[in-house]
Amino acid sequence: MQPTLDFGLGDTADMIRESTRRFAEDQIAPLAARIDAEDWFPRELWPAMGELGLHGITVEEQWGGLGLGYLEHVVAVEEVSRASASIGLSYGAHSNLCVNQIRRWAGDEQKAKYLPKLISGEHVGSLAMSETNAGSDVVGMKLRAEKTDSGYLLNGTKFWITNAAYADTLVVYAKTGEGSRGITTFLIEKDMPGFSIGQKIDKMGMRGSPTAELVFNDCEVPEANVMGPVNGGVGVLMSGLDYERTVLAGIQLGIMQACLDVVLPYVRERSQFGKPIGSFQLIQAKIADMYVALNSARAYVYQVAKNCDAGRTTRFDAAGAILLASESAVKVSLEAIQALGGAGYTKDWPVERFARDAKLLDIGAGTNEIRRMLIGRELVGAA
């Protein structure tokens, strides 16, 4: 057993961690290398994760969820990502970006229609916000929804969409007017006329977490599939970003723990000059830095998650938590490669995958440059 700091998260979070860890070790970790090598999404994991209750952690019991909080959700994402960050990303996109947004914003009829199959894992969920020319400037999106007698016609594309090719239900933002007050949220089903999957994206890391383009060509969407207020989509979108950043920060915690899982046994067993390399002070310093980086990020992420559960979410701290976790995970994964030396630079060891996976969250869910802007602007008090 590795020494670890007890954060006192409570019995429920500890139970979620233990059950998720056992599942991830048994069902996900043995697939991780293949997931990366083949860019393969193991769809069959979704119902199994549903049986554990992982897809509905933050959903109220009346809708089939566990009725728990973002802290427990972070812990679950962390343990899934410890086994495979790719599955952790797809799981976070499904359970938080899609399911949690439906929980927070959908009407009762919409919840009754969509949540049961998403929570069971029978269906896969996704969220579509970004476009080729609307990333950080999300309000600049071009996907347009024109009002008709029976609902809306959507025309345009979305890009960089996680789970797109496998998603049954998608939360999609589209223009229904002008500027920030002219965006509306829609619930899209994969079989709607005029909706299709476009280009599939071959990524550097997070392979096996499918990413693709969405194409809307006179896609017919019933009025009943508007989620939240018409022209109020920016409020839906921005409110979800705080929870998205908090929960997805758990991916980076999982990657850092996975690095230690590999490096510690290696430095105890690998010998040079007649000694285990872990007996050398420079290697011990690397291990110390990795451990401190992980627990520093954990402390920030867990506290922000607790604040989310207490209704004290702050946008700049949600941004700060994932900023710290993402940059720490990149550094820790590179140190893991260095600790393994030449072995770490080969495909025979998973640490090179950890580094490729870690880099995504310097960019996704808002780049670190945008996160710094949010934090700095709030602290300085600039408009």
Side-chain angles (χ1 to χ4, degrees):
M1 290 288 292
Q2 296 177 18
T4 189
L5 176 61
D6 182 1
F7 285 91
L9 302 184
D11 292 343
T12 303
D14 290 345
M15 178 188 68
I16 291 289
R17 185 185 299 280
E18 185 56 32
S19 62
T20 307
R21 177 186 296 164
R22 286 199 305 268
F23 174 83
E25 287 177 349
D26 292 343
Q27 303 295 322
I28 301 177
L31 306 177
R34 180 187 167 194
I35 288 168
D36 179 67
E38 299 179 11
D39 200 9
W40 167 58
F41 178 63
R43 173 67 180 83
E44 63 271 19
L45 288 173
W46 249 235
M49 294 168 74
E51 287 182 17
L52 272 184
L54 294 179
H55 298 315
I57 287 178
T58 58
V59 178
E60 293 83 357
E61 292 182 24
Q62 72 180 100
W63 301 112
L66 297 183
L68 301 176
Y70 295 105
L71 177 63
E72 288 81 11
H73 204 177
V74 166
V75 167
V77 168
E78 179 181 350
E79 291 300 328
V80 169
S81 302
R82 182 178 180 179
S84 167
S86 296
I87 298 304
L89 177 62
S90 281
Y91 165 56
H94 170 92
S95 59
N96 180 262
L97 279 67
C98 180
V99 171
N100 193 59
Q101 282 292 73
I102 293 174
R103 176 193 77 84
R104 297 179 64 242
W105 287 99
D108 285 355
E109 289 186 8
Q110 293 171 331
K111 290 178 183 178
K113 180 177 182 180
Y114 293 109
L115 284 180
K117 290 184 178 180
L118 289 167
I119 290 172
S120 71
E122 181 180 344
H123 282 180
V124 173
S126 179
L127 178 140
M129 180 173 63
S130 298
E131 299 178 6
T132 51
N133 293 310
S136 297
D137 178 21
V138 69
V139 177
M141 67 178 63
K142 301 297 184 187
L143 176 65
R144 182 156 290 277
E146 298 289 346
K147 188 74 179 72
T148 66
D149 291 341
S150 59
Y152 291 83
L153 277 182
L154 270 62
N155 282 283
T157 60
K158 292 289 181 183
F159 211 68
W160 311 112
I161 308 306
T162 302
N163 293 349
Y166 292 85
D168 301 276
T169 303
L170 304 96
V171 174
V172 176
Y173 299 96
K175 283 277 192 174
T176 47
E178 300 302 324
S180 61
R181 297 181 183 274
I183 293 174
T184 300
T185 314
F186 296 90
L187 290 167
I188 302 298
E189 300 170 21
K190 67 175 181 179
D191 296 326
M192 283 180 170
F195 172 67
S196 62
I197 303 300
Q199 173 187 351
K200 295 180 175 62
I201 299 165
D202 189 12
K203 305 188 302 295
M204 162 183 148
M206 295 295 191
R207 297 172 58 76
S209 177
T211 309
E213 176 187 29
L214 307 181
V215 178
F216 299 85
N217 185 11
D218 283 343
C219 177
E220 303 171 19
V221 183
E223 192 155 3
N225 282 54
V226 172
M227 188 174 80
V230 173
N231 293 327
V234 166
V236 177
L237 186 157
M238 291 301 180
S239 70
L241 276 175
D242 298 335
Y243 304 115
E244 173 185 344
R245 287 168 172 151
T246 303
V247 169
L248 293 185
I251 296 172
Q252 306 297 73
L253 303 182
I255 290 172
M256 285 187 275
Q257 183 61 67
C259 288
L260 284 169
D261 292 341
V262 172
V263 170
L264 284 172
Y266 184 88
V267 301
R268 290 169 183 151
E269 295 166 8
R270 167 74 167 165
S271 291
Q272 291 287 278
F273 308 105
K275 295 180 180 179
I277 64 172
S279 66
F280 301 133
Q281 289 181 343
L282 283 174
I283 292 293
Q284 291 172 1
K286 287 187 186 300
I287 300 299
D289 288 345
M290 293 167 71
Y291 178 80
V292 170
L294 169 58
N295 280 330
S296 299
R298 274 179 171 153
Y300 199 179
V301 173
Y302 292 162
Q303 186 58 51
V304 170
K306 289 178 183 179
N307 284 8
C308 289
D309 291 331
R312 299 195 304 269
T313 310
T314 61
R315 178 148 301 158
F316 60 94
D317 276 316
I322 195 169
L323 170 65
L324 177 63
S326 67
E327 294 193 344
S328 296
V330 171
K331 292 175 183 175
V332 166
S333 61
L334 291 175
E335 286 286 42
I337 293 173
Q338 194 71 18
L340 267 63
Y345 199 66
T346 70
K347 295 280 189 179
D348 294 333
W349 290 84
V351 289
E352 61 84 29
R353 164 164 52 89
F354 299 161
R356 288 186 285 109
D357 289 346
K359 185 59 185 173
L360 174 70
L361 285 175
D362 279 356
I363 302 165
T367 65
N368 280 343
E369 288 76 12
I370 291 293
R371 294 164 191 161
R372 284 187 164 90
M373 181 192 75
L374 289 173
I375 298 164
R377 184 172 62 192
E378 182 69 25
L379 293 177
V380 172

